[in-house]
Amino acid sequence: MKTKYKKVKVSERLPEKEGKYVCSMQTTLKMDACMPFDPNYEDAVIFWKDEVDWWL
């Protein structure tokens, strides 16, 4: 059985829970990566808003 994941744009919503998420970076390489996120850590929130396009 396959699980369907929906891409969520960072401009629409950030993850709500701490964890690692598959995301697309806004770098020149346009790479997909698994990045940690902690909503209580201000630098992580700023990084995600500036560098990430979407997440699963």
Side-chain angles (χ1 to χ4, degrees), residues 20-51:
K20 292 184 180 179
Y21 297 89
V22 174
C23 58
S24 176
M25 307 297 286
Q26 296 178 6
T27 64
T28 55
L29 300 174
K30 284 290 187 186
M31 65 179 187
D32 294 346
C34 184
M35 297 293 297
F37 180 78
D38 182 352
N40 300 314
Y41 185 50
E42 186 178 348
D43 287 342
V45 173
I46 291 169
F47 174 81
W48 271 62
K49 287 181 177 180
D50 291 344
E51 300 293 330

Side-chain angles (χ1 to χ4, degrees), residues 1-24:
M1 175 172 37
K2 289 186 178 182
T3 303
K4 292 186 178 184
Y5 294 96
K6 181 181 176 188
K7 290 182 182 179
V8 178
K9 290 188 176 190
V10 170
S11 59
E12 294 174 6
R13 181 169 57 102
L14 285 171
E16 297 171 3
K17 296 180 181 177
E18 181 178 353
K20 292 184 180 179
Y21 297 89
V22 174
C23 58
S24 176

